[in-house]
Amino acid sequence: MTRTLKCGCGAFQAKIKGDSVASFNCHCHSCVAASRFIDERHGDILNNGHTSALDYTGGCAVSVHWISNVDFIGDSDPLDRLGYVKVGEKGTIPRYYTKCCGTQIITLVQGYLHCGLNRNAVYEEDGEKYAPAVAPVNIMAKSAFNPAVVPNPKSDFAPLGLIFKFIPLFTLGSLGIGKSKVKFNTSPEMSKAEVVPITWE
């Protein structure tokens, strides 16, 4: 099974082998604020087929994949065609968007094993938008900007099943496991990242 990750204007693409590790809509302040910032700062200004990472629920639509299964199309370093943001001046997690049309491509990346892709920008082999077999859970509902409007299925935090999936990924990734298979720089110079202001503390 091979799916395609592509930005709104189609200039930036990648092939994804295999199914996702997990799919969910994250409603935490950081994910939603970063996606809103990218939409407002880059999507509306460029107005060039931009694809938002925000789901109709108001959360950030995430599809998690093994980084080794994501093959970026093109000879140049993917980072040359991407910009990235961090949440707050001390942010450590880069969230990437395309320079061509401002589509948020990578919603989160930490370590070298997995990355969260913009599920709204993933397409099936027949060209239809990717739709998980099971409805994505709306996680971190308690941390949403407006918790009352987060629809079901939802979880105030991250479900235990999801946590158990991520513990080994974060642990092994932090040790550098899988680094040799990564096809782009997952640890860019964060001082060069655009800063998403923290307005909720």
Side-chain angles (χ1 to χ4, degrees):
M1 178 189 299
T2 301
R3 295 188 174 93
T4 300
L5 172 72
K6 63 179 179 180
C7 66
C9 73
F12 187 98
Q13 296 190 25
K15 292 297 181 182
I16 308 168
K17 293 178 290 187
D19 210 346
S20 63
V21 177
S23 290
F24 52 85
N25 301 319
C26 186
H27 289 262
C28 78
H29 289 115
S30 294
C31 282
V32 173
S35 295
R36 287 178 177 175
F37 179 90
I38 291 171
D39 286 353
E40 294 169 2
R41 180 65 62 89
H42 300 285
D44 291 345
I45 293 176
L46 293 170
N47 193 26
N48 187 24
H50 170 84
T51 298
S52 174
L54 293 174
D55 184 76
Y56 74 93
T57 65
C60 182
V62 181
S63 182
V64 181
H65 295 265
W66 296 100
I67 292 180
S68 58
N69 286 343
V70 181
D71 293 313
F72 294 98
I73 298 174
D75 296 328
S76 62
D77 183 341
L79 204 56
D80 292 339
R81 295 175 282 151
L82 296 173
Y84 53 100
V85 304
K86 62 182 179 181
V87 178
E89 292 289 348
K90 297 180 180 180
T92 59
I93 299 176
R95 292 168 165 89
Y96 297 88
Y97 64 88
T98 62
K99 294 178 180 178
C100 51
C101 64
T103 292
Q104 185 176 0
I105 284 291
I106 300 175
T107 55
L108 63 90
V109 60
Q110 195 166 26
Y112 303 102
L113 290 180
H114 71 284
C115 61
L117 305 178
N118 174 357
R119 196 176 66 248
N120 296 333
V122 177
Y123 294 82
E124 301 283 5
E125 292 177 331
D126 62 3
E128 293 294 318
K129 277 199 172 185
Y130 168 58
V134 178
V137 175
N138 294 294
I139 70 169
M140 306 304 292
K142 192 173 183 178
S143 300
F145 283 100
N146 188 352
V149 302
V150 178
N152 290 314
K154 64 181 177 180
S155 173
D156 281 345
F157 304 99
L160 285 177
L162 187 61
I163 292 174
F164 287 140
K165 282 185 179 180
F166 276 93
I167 287 177
L169 295 179
F170 281 121
T171 302
L172 295 174
S174 65
L175 296 174
I177 305 298
K179 185 175 182 179
S180 61
K181 296 182 179 181
V182 175
K183 304 172 184 70
F184 73 104
N185 183 9
T186 62
S187 302
E189 190 174 337
M190 295 306 290
S191 62
K192 295 182 178 180
E194 294 177 71
V195 179
V196 179
I198 295 176
T199 61
W200 51 88
E201 291 183 348

